Each structure stands twice: as C-alpha cells, then as structure tokens.
Amino acid sequence: MMSTIQPRAKSNETLPTGGSEPVIEISGLKKSFGQQEVLKNVSLKLFNGENLVVLGKSGSGKSVLIKCIVGLLNADAGTINVFGKDVNGISRKELTPLRQKIGFLFQSGALYDSMTVRQNLEFPMKRMKKDIKDKDLEDKIKEVLENVGLAEALDKMPSQLSGGMRKRISLARTIVVDPMIMLYDEPTTGLDPITSGEISSLIMDVQKKYKTSSIIITHDIKCARSTANRVIMLAEGEILKEGKIEDFENSTDPFIKSFFE
Amino acid sequence: MTDANKLGPRTNIKGFTAHHSFRLGNHAIAKTEEAGNFLTELADAFLFTVRVIRETFSGGFEFKEFLFQCFQVGYKSLPLISVTGIIMGLVLTIQSRPVLVDFGAVTKLPGMVAVSLIREMGPVITALICAGKIGSGMGAELGSMKVTEQIDAMEVSSTNPIKFLVVTRVLAATLMIPLLILFADGLGVMGSWAGANIKGDVSFVLFFSQAFSHVHFMDLLPAVVKSFFFGGIIGLVGCYKGYNAGRGTESVGIAANSAVVLASLLVIVVDMIAVQITDMLK
C-alpha cells in the first residue's frame, strides 16, 4: 500500500461548499512523538458552515490533527489559525475564549463518570457562561437533550447508558454551549450500523440547527457519505487527496479504492 | 613470544570471551536506560509538584470540589480509620501489659500507650492505611479519567484539570489526613483502655488522666506537623500517578498500585527524617 500513496493534487487546493470564509486555516503542520513523525506537512482549510470529513487509516494522524486544533497537543511546526488566531503555543488564558467556540466530541464520549447526565451538561455551561441564570440553564439542557432524543436520561448516570446513548449525551454536552466549530473524533466507532446512522443524522442536524462548521474524523465510509460536504484523506501524516465524496468513490488510486470497497 | 601470547588467545584470558563482553555491554546499556528513566520520572514528578503548587496559589480556587474531596477523603475513611485506631491501641496494650507487669510498671501502661500512639504508631499506621485507601483511589480515579479522555474533555471545557482535579485532592488529603490521624490516636487510647480492662479493672477517667498526663506538647506538635506532610505526599503521589497514567486500561491498575507503593515508601522516609529532626530539636 505504501507505493500507492500519491502526493496531494496541487490544483484547486480547496473546494469550499459552505461559506467562503475559512474558520480554521492550517498551514505546514508537523507533529512527532519521539522518533515517530505523525503529521508531516498538513495544510487545510475549514470553511464556514461546511462539514469536512477527514478519512484515513488508524494511526494516520487524524485524531492528532484535531487535538492540535483545540490545543490539547502542541504542534512542532506550522500554524493553526482558528478565527484568525494562531492556537499553536499560545497561553491557556488566550486559548480559553477560542475553546469556548469549539465543541469536541471525543471518540469514547468522555462523559464524567461521577456525574449525572444533568451535571455533565451543566459542567461546561457553568464554566463557560458564568452569569447564566438557573432557569436558562435548565431550559438549555432540556433543549439539547430533546435535540439528541434523550430527554428522559436527565438524571441517569453514564454507567446506566448504552454506547449510542453515551455518544448522544456527549454530543449534547458539546452543543450545549453553542459552539461555532465542531470537531468529531470518530463519532460512529464502536456503534452498530443503525445507531451509527442515527449519529450521522444528528451530525447533519447539528450543522443545520446550530450553523456549525465541522471536521469529522472517521474511517466509517457510510458516515462520510452522509455527512461530508468535502473530504480529505490523510495517509502517513500527509494529505493524500482532497475533494468531494464522489471524487473519492470514482478514484482509481488502489489505496483510496480499498477504502471505499 | 610476548607475555600476552604466553597466556593464550585473547578471548580466553581468564575465561572472558567476546560473548561475555557483548552481554556485559547490553547489561550496561539496560542499566543506563533504567537510570535515565528514573531521572526522567523524578524530573516529571518535580515539575508536576511545582505546577500543583503554582496552581494552588494562582487564584480561581475550586472550593465546592475541595469540600467534596474533603468529604470523600475524610468522612468516607472514618470507618476504616476507626477500626484501625481501636485495634492499634488494643493490640499495643495486650502485647505490652505482660512485660510491664514483670517490671512492676503496669501503672505506666496508659502513658506508654498514649505516647507511642501519638508520637509514632498513630501517624505512621494511619498514613499507611490512607496511602492504601486514598492514594490508590486517587491514582485509579484520575488514571481512568485519563484513559477515557475525561481529563481532555475537562480541558476543552475551559477548565484547568490541575486546578479542578489535582489541587483540590492534594489539599483535601493534606487537611483531612492529620484529622484522621488525631481521630485514630483518640480511638487508639480508647482501644487501649478496653485492652487494659480485659485482665484488669481500670476506670475510664483514671486511664485517660494517666494517659494524657504523660503526653507533652512536644510529643503532639511534631506528630501533627509530620501528619500534614504525610497527607500532602499521599495526595500528591496519588494524583501524579493517576494524572500521568498511560493510555491503556492496564495503566489504571499500574497507576493505583504504584501510587500505594510510592506513597507508603515516602511516608516511611519522611517519618524517619521527621524523627531525626525532632530528636535534634530536643
């Protein structure tokens, strides 16, 4: 498979399908862990209102890419402009207002085990919107739970929820603070095909209802088909191809073909 | 012929072959790596401690979480500490009584038990029990939060996880463990009174007045001071091991286990240093 990886197409680097304003602009991003170079030279743009799907094999650096965007990992080189501000190497104090505009759905859901669903949803709200009134908080929590179809789970503990329910609650916790950008880290991994389809629909609903711009990390082709406005394929720390989902499906590259078969 | 040639081929000099040389080299490399890893861990632990201290005094204290952790560390440890304290005093009395009877010094029993408990046995044994219960609990809890990305989720929710998770736990342990130790000391003396009454008949008031007439301020002060250090160490080690756990589920067990081992070892070492300092001050 190594030999099938081709350099990224030079022409028409970006194919915006949302607004023309980039909300995230990454240039020459490099990240290594010890001797292992995970991201070699990644440049991409996320345009306002679009869903950008990042495909790639496990270990290709997809999750590392979005963790660099949100400042959970510091890049070794390159720039990551989020709403025009470079997040790479800035202080926690400067990062906090930017993080309030970004929602991050973790692969494992990352619900706080020791808290109920209500407390999980209250946690980011109380910290990001400190002056929020109790009534508004309650209304907002009910609204997002209804949006993910789990209004009845309000007082349950995460251990009482199924995998799909945990993902939904995690999504609710992410959208409760009205983020402008959503980063989804393998949102359908470990779920059955029906629940995966429901999560993909929810991603589309979030885009429409909350007018978010999203990066969706996945290797689930069904999820990519139903959510992508634009697709990027990462391979060995570099962007292998960028385009619409149809371009990938019609590709003659054996590596890309093997992904879509 | 030279002297070397007289001894035979080089590889056979004193039975030391090229194979031995290769093994020795590998052994030396492995030991060097181990020493390097130890120094790296030591540096990490130091930086973690500095960060925790800095975050403690940098404002925005998580008071509600601190109270919750005080409840978890203090109140929830009471049953275990109560049983330990009573048994400590009871056993010490039952073991010491025959010897004191032989020396005709049985009247000194309450004072001896009280001084032993307050100076040494109470703080050390309670701290070791707390290292097992509280240190491992913190290591496992933070370790599992790390593995399931809950700490990362906290970070992206504009919450400083060191401030919220670590500072509150370390301070709760620093404050609550000395209180647990004093509580265990008190119950230990009561256990001792119960032990003295198995083969004798001593009134509660007489036993306690005898016990505390031998306890001086300089018995209590060093014990209380070192208890704060024990609490801080248990909280810090538990949090450090949990916060720096690896990514797999196996690392949760490793974090909990190593938290207990390291915290217990440090409690013993700090106790030894504290005893030396107290001895010098007397």
Side-chain angles (χ1 to χ4, degrees):
Chain A
M1 276 302 158
M2 300 274 282
S3 59
T4 63
I5 297 169
Q6 301 297 318
R8 183 185 177 192
K10 286 281 176 195
S11 60
N12 297 326
E13 291 276 315
T14 52
L15 302 166
T17 50
S20 56
E21 285 284 301
V23 288
I24 295 178
E25 201 168 353
I26 297 172
S27 174
L29 181 63
K30 290 181 184 175
K31 178 70 187 170
S32 302
F33 294 98
Q35 297 295 313
Q36 193 189 355
E37 216 175 357
V38 178
L39 296 175
K40 289 174 185 165
N41 184 20
V42 173
S43 299
L44 63 85
K45 286 177 182 174
L46 173 70
F47 292 94
N48 193 14
E50 76 166 338
N51 276 353
L52 172 66
V53 167
V54 179
L55 289 172
K57 285 200 304 181
S58 297
S60 58
K62 307 185 297 292
S63 297
V64 172
L65 172 70
I66 55 170
K67 284 185 177 173
C68 286
I69 292 172
V70 81
L72 284 174
L73 294 172
N74 282 326
D76 298 334
T79 56
I80 306 165
N81 284 311
V82 180
F83 296 113
K85 186 155 186 135
D86 189 3
V87 298
N88 196 20
I90 64 171
S91 69
R92 176 184 290 276
K93 204 174 175 183
E94 291 173 294
L95 199 55
T96 301
L98 278 178
R99 279 179 171 165
Q100 293 182 355
K101 295 176 186 167
I102 304 172
F104 196 118
L105 182 73
F106 287 87
Q107 191 176 342
S108 59
L111 292 176
Y112 306 126
D113 290 333
S114 58
M115 300 182 193
T116 62
V117 168
R118 181 198 294 271
Q119 289 166 333
N120 262 284
L121 297 178
E122 281 176 354
F123 189 85
M125 279 288 271
K126 284 182 173 173
R127 276 151 198 286
M128 291 188 194
K129 299 182 176 180
K130 287 180 177 160
D131 51 352
I132 192 166
K133 290 175 184 159
D134 287 350
K135 174 80 173 67
D136 296 338
L137 181 69
E138 188 74 23
D139 290 346
K140 187 71 187 174
I141 287 170
K142 280 185 181 163
E143 180 204 310
V144 290
L145 280 179
E146 275 165 18
N147 285 343
V148 298
L150 282 173
E152 75 285 356
L154 192 61
D155 293 310
K156 286 188 174 170
M157 295 299 286
S159 56
Q160 295 173 291
L161 306 172
S162 68
M165 288 163 90
R166 288 170 75 97
K167 274 272 163 70
R168 283 162 179 265
I169 297 295
S170 187
L171 181 56
R173 187 180 64 182
T174 311
I175 58 176
V176 78
V177 289
D178 297 321
M180 295 163 84
I181 297 170
M182 284 292 294
L183 304 174
Y184 298 92
D185 190 4
E186 307 205 5
T188 57
T189 297
L191 301 177
D192 61 85
I194 296 168
T195 313
S196 295
E198 289 169 357
I199 296 288
S200 300
S201 302
L202 271 175
I203 292 172
M204 295 305 290
D205 291 346
V206 167
Q207 184 196 21
K208 280 177 202 152
K209 188 157 187 177
Y210 295 90
K211 311 274 183 251
T212 53
S213 320
S214 311
I215 295 180
I216 302 153
I217 302 291
T218 189
H219 39 63
D220 176 358
I221 298 302
K222 268 190 173 179
C223 173
R225 279 194 184 110
S226 54
T227 58
N229 297 129
R230 189 160 59 98
V231 180
I232 277 174
M233 181 166 273
L234 269 184
E236 301 192 359
E238 288 179 301
I239 293 178
L240 175 67
K241 187 175 166 66
E242 182 179 346
K244 294 201 170 196
I245 191 86
E246 299 81 24
D247 302 337
F248 281 79
E249 285 176 318
N250 300 328
S251 173
T252 52
D253 185 314
F255 180 75
I256 296 170
K257 271 178 84 176
S258 69
F259 232 88
F260 280 79
E261 278 168 6
Chain B
M1 277 178 78
T2 63
D3 288 347
N5 287 339
K6 281 178 194 167
L7 290 169
R10 273 179 74 86
T11 51
N12 287 331
I13 293 171
K14 295 179 183 172
F16 194 83
T17 62
H19 175 66
H20 286 122
S21 172
F22 180 72
R23 283 182 61 187
L24 186 67
N26 277 350
H27 187 70
I29 290 167
K31 286 289 168 197
T32 311
E33 275 177 8
E34 269 177 35
N37 290 342
F38 174 73
L39 290 175
T40 309
E41 173 103 13
L42 206 63
D44 279 350
F46 175 74
L47 291 175
F48 183 81
T49 308
V50 169
R51 195 176 165 197
V52 172
I53 293 169
R54 204 181 56 212
E55 296 290 357
T56 305
F57 298 104
S58 66
F61 185 62
E62 301 279 356
F63 191 69
K64 205 174 161 189
E65 179 64 13
F66 167 70
L67 286 183
F68 176 69
Q69 289 306 323
C70 284
F71 174 78
Q72 293 285 90
V73 171
Y75 181 75
K76 290 211 167 174
S77 304
L78 278 179
L80 180 66
I81 297 304
S82 303
V83 173
T84 309
I86 291 170
I87 292 175
M88 214 159 43
L90 188 80
V91 168
L92 187 61
T93 304
I94 293 171
Q95 296 276 29
S96 318
R97 196 173 185 279
V99 182
L100 291 173
V101 168
D102 288 347
F103 285 107
V106 75
T107 53
K108 299 286 181 192
L109 180 72
M112 190 213 77
V113 170
V115 170
S116 307
L117 281 175
I118 288 168
R119 271 195 196 173
E120 193 59 34
M121 283 188 67
V124 174
I125 293 180
T126 310
L128 291 176
I129 297 283
C130 288
K133 186 187 181 294
I134 298 161
S136 68
M138 287 178 181
E141 189 185 8
L142 296 195
S144 82
M145 285 184 81
K146 176 85 178 282
V147 169
T148 55
E149 298 178 304
Q150 291 176 53
I151 292 180
D152 285 345
M154 207 164 266
E155 181 95 45
V156 298
S157 298
S158 302
T159 302
N160 183 340
I162 291 280
K163 227 180 240 302
F164 187 84
L165 297 172
V166 180
V167 170
T168 53
R169 279 167 173 77
V170 173
L171 287 183
T174 309
L175 188 70
M176 286 295 120
I177 288 174
L179 293 178
L180 288 172
I181 287 172
L182 288 175
F183 182 71
D185 288 346
L187 286 178
V189 179
M190 286 181 76
S192 174
W193 172 71
N197 274 287
I198 292 173
K199 288 192 176 174
D201 184 18
V202 194
S203 81
F204 186 77
V205 177
L206 178 66
F207 188 90
F208 264 73
S209 62
Q210 280 275 330
F212 287 106
S213 66
H214 288 84
V215 178
H216 304 293
F217 180 70
M218 275 312 286
D219 293 320
L220 197 61
L221 183 70
V224 171
V225 171
K226 73 180 175 187
S227 300
F228 281 101
F229 281 97
F230 291 165
I233 284 166
I234 291 165
L236 206 53
V237 170
C239 290
Y240 169 73
K241 288 292 179 183
Y243 199 85
N244 292 291
R247 286 283 172 188
T249 47
E250 186 197 16
S251 52
V252 178
I254 293 170
N257 182 265
S258 55
V260 177
V261 173
L262 186 61
S264 303
L265 183 69
L266 288 176
V267 162
I268 302 283
V269 171
V270 167
D271 183 57
M272 184 191 71
I273 295 167
V275 167
Q276 294 294 323
I277 292 171
T278 311
D279 196 45
M280 282 193 298
L281 292 176
K282 274 186 179 172

